[in-house]
Amino acid sequence: MNAWTPSQRDAIETKNTDLLVSAGAGSGKTSVLTERLVRRITEGGDIGRMLVVTFGNAAASDIRDKLREELTRAYAAQPANRHLRNQLYRLSDARVCTVHSFCLEIIKNNFSLLGASPRLRVADGAERAVISRGSADECVEWFFENGGDDFFGLVANFDDEKSDGGFVELIMSIYDKIRSYPDYLGFLDRTSAALAGDVSAAESGGVFACSAGSVIRSETLRLLGKALTLSRKLTEFAELTAVSERNIAPCEEVGRQIELLFCALENGYSAFREAVRSYSVPSLYTRGMDAEQAEVLKREKEKIKGYVGRIALLYPRDEAAVISDIAKTAGLFEVFSRVIKKYDELYSKAKRRISAADFPDLEHMALALLAVKGDGGYSPTPVCLHIRENTDEIYIDEYQDINALQDLIFTLVSRGGNRFMVGDVKQSIYRFRNAEPDIFLAYRNAFEDGKKGRCITLRENFRCGRCIIDFVNAVFSPVYTKENPGTDYKKEALV
C-alpha cells in the first residue's frame, strides 16, 4: 500500500464537492486519480456510473490498466466479494475515454434527435485538410465574384498581389481557433459589435475610452509604477551613500519626472504621448562617491530609462491616427466575419455530403444535444439530465489543456459537487490546439475560499533528485508570477 502524503490523501478522500487538483510534475497525479476511483468502487460505487476523461487514447488505456490491476488486487484479497468481481467484468465497458470519444458516444445514442446521419464518421487528418482547403478556396472565389470593395480592402491587408494563399490560410486558422468557443458564430457578432462600440467610444472620449486604449493605459500605469518604485529606491540609496546634496538632487528629480508622467496620463492619450516622447532621464551627479556605489546608481537609472522606453513603444502614433486605425479595424472585422460565416457554411456542407465530421464537430454536436442556449445561458436538455442522473463522479485529466467548449460540456453533465479536475497550469503546452489554461486558473481562484469547490496542490515530487528540483525551482520562481502568467510559482514550488 502506498504511503500517501497529506495532500494526496486529501485529494483521494475529499467528497461531495467539485475538486481541482493542481498536480506538479512527478507528484503522482495518476496514482491519486486511480486510488480515488478504486476506493469509490471498493466502498460500493459502480464503475459504470463513473466518467473518466483523458486527452489521449494512451492515457485512457493507462488508467484502465491501472484500475484493472488495483481492482484485481482488491478482489484477490476478498474473493467472496461479488461486487468487486462484477466491477472487474464491467471495466471493459466503463467510460474511460477521451473527450471526443465521450462526445461521439452522446451523438451515437441520440442520432434521431440531432438529425445526423447514422453513418456519421470522423474524417482522418488528410481528408479534413483536403475538405477544409477546398472549402476555403471556394469561399474566397465566391467573394471575389460577389464581394464588393470592402472585401478587396480586406484581402489587401493580408495578402500579396501574386497569391491569395496567405489569406486562405488565415481563414482556416481563425476558424479553427474560434470553434473552441461554444457559440463561435455568435462570438463573431459580439466581437463586431464590441469593435463598433470602441469606435464610438474613441471618437467621443479619446483612445483611452475604448477597450484597446484601456489596455494601453493599464500597462502604462503598471510600468510607471515599477519606474516610480525604482526611483524611490534610487533616492534612498543616494541618501545613504552621497557625499553631498548634489549627489541626491538628481535622483530626486528622476522621481519627480516620473510623477509628472503620471499627471500627464490623467490628461489623455495625446498629452501623455507628448510627455513620454519628450521625456529624458536627468543626468546623475556622482562626483566624490565611491565608484561601486556610483555604478549602482547608474544601473538603477538605466532600468528606469528602460521602463520609460517600453512605455514609449505603446504610443507610436498620434491619437487621430489611432482612432482612424480602430475604425478601419472594425470595418475590416465586419467583412472578415462574413467571410468566416460563408466558409463555415461551405465547410459544413462539404462534410455533410460525405457524412463526415471533424473533432470540433463532435463537441458542438454533443453540446447541441446537451443544452439549449437562451438569453440566460445554457439550459440542460433531457439528454443532459439523463447523463447527470447516471453519473456519480466525473474525473477529467489534464484540465489545464481544456477549452471553453469542453469545459461547458463537463459543467453541463455535472450535477454539481462531483467533478474531479486534475492538471498543472505550468505544464500547459497546447495553446496551439486552442487550450485555455486561464480556465484552470479561474477555477483555482473561484475555489480559493472553499465555498464553490476545493483546490488541493500536490507539490511533492517523486521523480527527480534534490539537485534537479532545486534547479527547476530556481529557474521558474522568478518567471511564473501571479501577474504573469497568472500563477504564483512560489506557492506551488516542487519539494
Side-chain angles (χ1 to χ4, degrees):
M1 181 176 292
N2 289 331
W4 304 106
T5 66
S7 56
Q8 287 178 327
R9 188 178 302 109
D10 206 9
I12 292 167
E13 296 175 356
T14 298
K15 298 180 181 180
N16 303 319
T17 186
D18 285 329
L19 188 60
L20 184 77
V21 178
S22 183
S27 61
K29 65 165 186 172
T30 304
S31 296
V32 167
L33 187 152
T34 304
E35 178 67 16
R36 183 183 169 97
L37 275 164
V38 169
R39 289 199 188 182
R40 296 298 178 272
I41 294 168
T42 56
E43 291 167 359
D46 183 357
I47 188 63
R49 294 181 62 84
M50 308 288 183
L51 171 62
V52 184
V53 180
T54 70
F55 281 78
N57 289 317
S61 178
D62 182 50
I63 291 175
R64 193 186 297 273
D65 289 343
K66 284 185 166 71
L67 273 175
R68 181 174 286 105
E69 181 181 338
E70 293 300 321
L71 288 175
T72 299
R73 185 178 291 114
Y75 180 54
Q78 305 176 59
N81 192 320
R82 296 178 62 186
H83 171 69
L84 289 178
R85 184 183 62 188
N86 290 336
Q87 293 302 298
L88 272 169
Y89 287 152
R90 300 194 64 186
L91 185 57
S92 298
D93 297 324
R95 291 180 297 175
V96 182
C97 57
T98 65
V99 178
H100 297 117
S101 294
F102 174 59
C103 291
L104 187 58
E105 177 191 2
I106 296 172
I107 295 166
K108 286 183 175 179
N109 290 337
N110 298 279
F111 272 118
S112 58
L113 294 176
L114 194 61
S117 168
R119 299 188 303 276
L120 183 70
R121 60 185 177 81
V122 179
D124 62 35
E127 189 176 18
R128 290 196 301 270
V130 170
I131 299 171
S132 175
R133 182 64 191 228
S135 299
D137 286 336
E138 184 180 355
C139 173
V140 171
E141 289 175 9
W142 188 93
F143 272 94
F144 271 125
E145 294 178 2
N146 301 281
D149 292 340
D150 53 359
F151 171 74
F152 294 107
L154 173 67
V155 174
N157 271 269
F158 297 105
D159 228 329
D160 57 42
E161 296 179 357
K162 297 180 180 180
S163 170
D164 59 14
F167 184 61
V168 170
E169 292 290 339
L170 179 68
I171 293 171
M172 294 188 293
S173 174
I174 297 298
Y175 182 74
D176 286 343
K177 173 63 181 175
I178 66 171
R179 289 185 79 205
S180 65
Y181 303 141
D183 179 20
Y184 61 96
L185 296 181
F187 167 79
L188 293 175
D189 294 335
R190 292 189 296 274
T191 302
S192 187
L195 287 171
D198 274 350
V199 175
S200 299
E203 289 176 344
S204 60
V207 169
F208 287 159
C210 73
S211 59
S214 177
V215 172
I216 292 171
R217 187 176 186 278
S218 294
E219 180 64 4
T220 300
L221 281 170
R222 187 182 73 83
L223 294 174
L224 281 177
K226 288 183 175 294
L228 185 60
T229 298
L230 276 180
S231 72
R232 288 170 177 166
K233 291 180 179 179
L234 185 76
T235 301
E236 291 171 2
F237 186 79
E239 290 173 344
L240 291 172
T241 59
V243 296
S244 73
E245 183 63 30
R246 295 182 66 186
N247 300 132
I248 300 173
C251 296
E252 293 176 332
E253 180 61 18
V254 170
R256 193 181 73 83
Q257 292 289 344
I258 297 297
E259 289 173 348
L260 288 175
L261 286 178
F262 271 105
C263 294
L265 188 64
E266 296 304 312
N267 294 323
Y269 180 96
S270 292
F272 183 81
R273 180 173 184 269
E274 182 178 350
V276 77
R277 285 165 64 86
S278 60
Y279 175 83
S280 178
V281 181
S283 299
L284 300 181
Y285 184 82
T286 58
R287 182 173 297 178
M289 294 182 64
D290 176 82
E292 290 185 5
Q293 294 171 344
E295 188 62 31
V296 170
L297 289 180
K298 291 176 182 177
R299 283 201 306 268
E300 294 305 299
K301 189 194 87 165
E302 286 303 310
K303 290 180 183 178
I304 294 170
K305 184 178 178 181
Y307 280 125
V308 176
R310 287 169 61 184
I311 292 170
L313 293 175
L314 299 173
Y315 299 81
R317 292 162 65 79
D318 63 60
E319 190 159 27
V322 173
I323 293 174
S324 175
D325 286 345
I326 293 170
K328 289 177 182 177
T329 300
L332 290 173
F333 185 85
E334 195 280 326
V335 181
F336 191 66
S337 176
R338 284 190 271 128
V339 173
I340 291 292
K341 289 178 180 179
K342 184 65 177 178
Y343 170 65
D344 177 68
E345 174 191 329
L346 295 171
Y347 184 42
S348 298
K349 285 181 179 178
K351 287 179 290 184
R352 282 197 299 271
R353 279 196 296 268
I354 58 173
S355 299
D358 58 19
F359 289 120
D361 283 331
L362 300 182
E363 296 171 2
H364 283 284
M365 289 177 182
L367 178 61
L369 288 164
L370 294 172
V372 176
K373 189 174 187 299
D375 294 335
Y378 289 87
S379 301
T381 63
V383 170
C384 183
L385 294 175
H386 177 75
I387 294 174
R388 283 186 191 177
E389 292 168 3
N390 289 277
T391 305
D392 291 334
E393 287 193 328
I394 302 171
Y395 295 77
I396 312 111
D397 195 10
E398 306 292 0
Y399 217 84
Q400 78 277 356
D401 290 323
I402 207 85
N403 65 40
L405 175 54
Q406 293 163 350
D407 179 59
L408 176 58
I409 289 172
F410 295 129
T411 301
L412 285 166
V413 298
S414 167
R415 58 172 178 259
N418 68 337
R419 276 183 295 171
F420 181 89
M421 302 167 282
V422 61
D424 180 14
V425 72
K426 301 184 296 299
Q427 298 185 61
S428 179
I429 59 173
Y430 288 110
R431 279 188 182 270
F432 68 96
R433 292 184 183 173
N434 304 324
E436 294 185 46
D438 286 348
I439 295 173
F440 188 94
L441 294 174
Y443 275 113
R444 192 170 64 187
N445 293 335
F447 293 174
E448 202 164 16
D449 60 5
K451 294 179 180 179
K452 296 181 178 179
R454 283 197 60 195
C455 179
I456 296 172
T457 301
L458 305 184
R459 298 176 58 191
E460 297 83 359
N461 180 280
F462 301 96
R463 184 183 299 160
C464 305
R466 183 76 259 164
C467 59
I468 299 295
I469 292 172
D470 289 344
F471 175 77
V472 169
N473 287 338
V475 170
F476 287 100
S477 288
V479 176
Y480 279 82
T481 64
K482 188 70 174 176
E483 185 178 83
N484 184 34
T487 182
D488 187 352
Y489 186 87
K490 294 178 182 178
K491 292 182 179 180
E492 298 189 3
L494 300 175
V495 296

